[in-house]
Structures are given as C-alpha cells and as structure tokens.
Amino acid sequence: MLYQDDVLIVVNKPSGLSAHRGLANEGGDYVLTRVRDMLQQQVYLVHRLDRATSGAICLVRAPSHVEPMQRAFQDAQVDKRYLALTRGKIPAEITVDYAIPRSQERPKERVHARTSFRSLAVFEDRYALVEASPETGRYHQIRRHLSHLRCPIIGDTNYGDRKENRLFRERFGLFRLVLHAWRFSFPHPVHGERIDIRAPLLPDLALPLAAMGFPVDPKSGELEV
C-alpha cells in the first residue's frame, strides 16, 4: 500500500498482474480483487496499467469518486512518470509527438500521442535508464514511442529486441518488461490538495538494475536521481 484515506487507495502493482478481468481469465486474481479482499469492501479502478507494467495504480472506495478522478486524467491534471530501461541511448531530453494505433483491435486507426523523455543514467554506453512522462494516455504509448525512437524497452515482447531480452534474462535474471509507474501526482477528488506518490521499484527490477550499477537501493527499491 502506497497511500490510503477514506476516499483513495494507491498500491504498487507487480508486473504480471492485471488490473481487472479482461479477455484472459486469471482465476480471479487481479489488482481489483486483491485490494477488495484486503480492505473487505468494494473498490473501483480509475485508471489502468498494462499487465506487464508495475507501479502506482489508484482506486477509490465509492463509485461517485470515479468520474472526478477520470476527469483529472482527461484534463491533464495528473502527472505520471515512468521508468524504463532501453536498448540504445536517447538524447538528454526529447519529446515524441507521433500518432499510434488506437488499439490492438483497430491498428489502422491512429490517434495523437505525445510523450516526453529524459535520460537518467547509462549502462555500458549502450543502454539507458529513462524517465517517461506521457501527456496523452494511449494504448502501449510509451512502449510504442520508444520503439519509434529505435530504443525499445528491455523485456518488451511486443516491440522489443528478442536477442537483447534473452541477454538480460541470462545476465541479470530479468524476466519482465522494464517499465514501472514510478511517480504519480494528482489533485484529491474531494479536497483538491495535491497527492504525490512515489512507488519504489519491486525486487524483480531493483536487484537487476542495482547489479547494472544504477543508483537503486536493492532493499528499499528507491532510485536516487
């Protein structure tokens, strides 16, 4: 649990866990059901993370608070920062404004998408730890934009490099997509005060990144940048 009050709950989702039931039946084990069972009350998702992505995800205790939170996302009042490990180095700062497919089901229908990237650190002069700030919320936006830059995310089985993914599995035991919803800031739906969340890296990311020499505390998962 990263944050909770009588309105909101924010948790640190592990990679490989879906936010809610989708096309695949995972035996009822989702973020939604885990939080519901932990709190012994019904809860409601206000946004989603891809199954392979870890990090901060927000829920609310009452359905009346879903719409105000979703409106904050739509009105760009929510600041989201992700961490990614890429094959290839990006410039110190770069913004990608590149239309991408609306969904997997409608690949020919493209929609506006914009993401700002910042390079945080470099490994072996070939890989980069990157902060991504999506200004729009499109399907696989960060993954697609980094692939567009020819700097795909390590562990990405859709848009990445199979050879590099295998290399990082063998060298560092890294068996997941290296994409983490790291920082999350938004106005509280009731009193309007800004809530700032920082989601530590979970061990399946913290340990491999620390082994690469990135400034990550392998115990706490905190990144010092």
Side-chain angles (χ1 to χ4, degrees):
M1 189 80 69
L2 299 174
Y3 175 88
Q4 67 170 315
D5 60 20
D6 58 355
V7 175
L8 297 168
I9 309 103
V10 184
V11 297
N12 199 357
K13 184 186 91 66
S15 175
L17 180 68
S18 295
H20 62 94
R21 182 174 182 174
L23 296 177
N25 185 347
E26 299 170 38
D29 187 23
Y30 313 103
V31 172
L32 195 61
T33 54
R34 286 192 185 186
V35 176
R36 179 200 66 195
D37 294 347
M38 178 174 60
L39 298 178
Q40 292 296 296
Q41 73 168 100
Q42 194 68 37
V43 291
Y44 306 85
L45 282 165
V46 297
H47 69 115
R48 293 181 294 175
L49 292 177
D50 291 340
R51 184 175 184 272
T53 304
S54 58
I57 186 167
C58 182
L59 306 93
V60 292
R61 298 176 186 266
S64 59
H65 294 129
V66 173
E67 193 275 336
M69 283 295 296
Q70 291 182 338
R71 189 170 62 247
F73 278 90
Q74 294 165 3
D75 295 345
Q77 298 178 46
V78 178
D79 182 21
K80 297 173 289 181
R81 307 292 177 95
Y82 292 74
L83 293 175
L85 178 65
T86 63
R87 186 218 67 197
K89 297 184 293 183
I90 68 167
E93 293 188 3
I94 187 172
T95 296
V96 177
D97 195 331
Y98 177 72
I100 60 177
R102 179 178 293 278
S103 67
Q104 194 170 18
E105 292 74 29
R106 292 187 280 180
K108 294 183 179 180
E109 183 180 349
R110 304 184 79 85
V111 290
H112 170 249
R114 182 180 171 93
T115 312
S116 295
F117 295 100
R118 183 166 67 102
S119 181
L120 301 178
V122 174
F123 171 60
E124 292 187 350
D125 200 39
R126 186 180 177 188
Y127 308 98
L129 187 64
V130 170
E131 181 187 75
S133 304
E135 298 174 26
T136 51
R138 308 302 189 189
Y139 176 69
H140 287 180
Q141 178 174 318
I142 295 171
R143 297 163 69 177
R144 289 179 184 271
H145 275 174
L146 285 169
S147 179
H148 174 68
L149 291 175
R150 299 187 185 278
C151 294
I153 300 177
I154 298 297
D156 194 333
T157 57
N158 291 86
Y159 316 104
D161 185 312
R162 292 181 181 179
K163 181 179 177 181
E164 295 287 355
N165 294 347
R166 183 171 60 251
L167 175 66
F168 275 78
R169 286 196 299 268
E170 294 171 352
R171 289 186 64 187
F172 299 104
L174 194 48
F175 289 88
R176 53 156 294 181
L177 174 73
V178 188
L179 184 61
H180 179 77
W182 178 42
R183 305 186 75 169
F184 186 38
S185 175
F186 56 92
H188 194 282
V190 174
H191 51 65
E193 291 184 17
R194 200 84 186 165
I195 304 296
D196 293 300
I197 304 294
R198 186 162 171 161
L201 297 171
L202 300 172
D204 60 355
L205 270 189
L207 293 173
L209 291 178
M212 294 174 212
F214 290 116
V216 177
D217 186 321
K219 293 183 178 179
S220 68
E222 294 290 346
L223 176 67
E224 300 301 328
V225 293

